[in-house]
Amino acid sequence: FLLYICRFMEAVVSTQSTGENENITGADSLTTDAISIAIATKENIYTQRSSLNNISGKMGTIAKKLPLIGGLMNKINLRSRRDSIIIGGVITGCLILMFMFS
């Protein structure tokens, strides 16, 4: 009877160890997948950054060669700045009103 209990305890311990090993292996594979996804995302962002820098340089060259396009780009930049200032003012006003009435 005592031998049976010892073998049962050994089986339980080995089963728990196997389960823990499976959990650790699963967590390790999930971590490896997350790291590989992060590295791929980083590489894609660097590629997009270099592409956008190239496009920006080409647009600057075109703007220097053609004054009309340069003027149009300046107008677009001024409007986007103006819109940003207006949106910032609206958000600030809403926050002030929210704090006043709360």
Side-chain angles (χ1 to χ4, degrees):
F1 181 73
L2 189 58
L3 182 63
Y4 175 74
I5 292 175
C6 288
R7 286 186 182 167
F8 177 75
M9 294 300 281
E10 288 175 358
V12 168
V13 169
S14 67
T15 304
Q16 287 176 349
S17 297
T18 305
E20 289 175 5
N21 286 338
E22 289 174 1
N23 289 338
I24 291 171
T25 304
D28 184 44
S29 66
L30 289 175
T31 304
T32 303
D33 291 343
I35 289 172
S36 64
I37 290 170
I39 290 172
T41 303
K42 178 183 161 187
E43 290 172 357
N44 286 335
I45 288 173
Y46 282 146
T47 303
Q48 288 177 4
R49 179 181 177 187
S50 65
S51 297
L52 290 174
N53 284 336
N54 291 338
I55 291 170
S56 176
K58 290 176 184 177
M59 288 299 292
T61 304
I62 291 172
K64 288 178 185 175
K65 291 181 180 178
L66 301 171
L68 287 175
I69 293 177
L72 180 63
M73 287 176 58
N74 286 335
K75 286 182 181 179
I76 290 171
N77 286 335
L78 288 174
R79 283 189 181 174
S80 67
R81 278 192 216 134
R82 185 188 69 200
D83 290 346
S84 297
I85 291 171
I86 291 170
I87 289 174
V90 169
I91 291 172
T92 304
C94 289
L95 288 174
I96 290 171
L97 289 173
M98 184 179 74
F99 285 128
M100 284 176 54
F101 290 113
S102 63

